[in-house]
Amino acid sequence: MSWIQHYDPLTKTKLVVGGFSIYSPETKELHLEIEDQANNTKDSWTLDVHLCKSTGVNKPVFIATNVDLN
């Protein structure tokens, strides 16, 4: 389980928003509940997770996205 952050690409800042995420290693899915009042976003997503090929210090173990990475 983890928290949710909003990333602003213009200011390059990250702000914690309401919500949470849960990762299921059995189904390789990430479920997100988002309640970002500042950006008027209230939604829930379930995303497929893909393990990263290169892991290490300060690198993610997996990635989940709502766009095709191919």
Side-chain angles (χ1 to χ4, degrees):
M1 190 164 186
S2 186
W3 59 91
I4 306 292
Q5 294 182 330
H6 172 82
Y7 176 71
D8 186 331
L10 298 177
T11 62
K12 300 185 192 276
T13 58
K14 296 177 185 176
L15 298 173
V16 175
V17 300
F20 60 89
S21 65
I22 301 172
Y23 171 59
S24 171
E26 292 85 19
T27 63
K28 295 185 181 174
E29 292 177 323
L30 180 70
H31 181 77
L32 300 151
E33 291 286 334
I34 304 166
E35 291 190 25
D36 181 357
Q37 294 178 356
N39 293 291
N40 199 26
T41 303
K42 184 173 182 176
D43 208 347
S44 63
W45 298 343
T46 299
L47 305 172
D48 292 331
V49 170
H50 303 279
L51 296 177
C52 294
K53 294 177 184 173
S54 174
T55 62
V57 177
N58 295 325
K59 290 186 178 181
V61 175
F62 63 82
I63 188 166
T65 180
N66 60 351
V67 297
D68 186 1
L69 298 176
N70 294 319

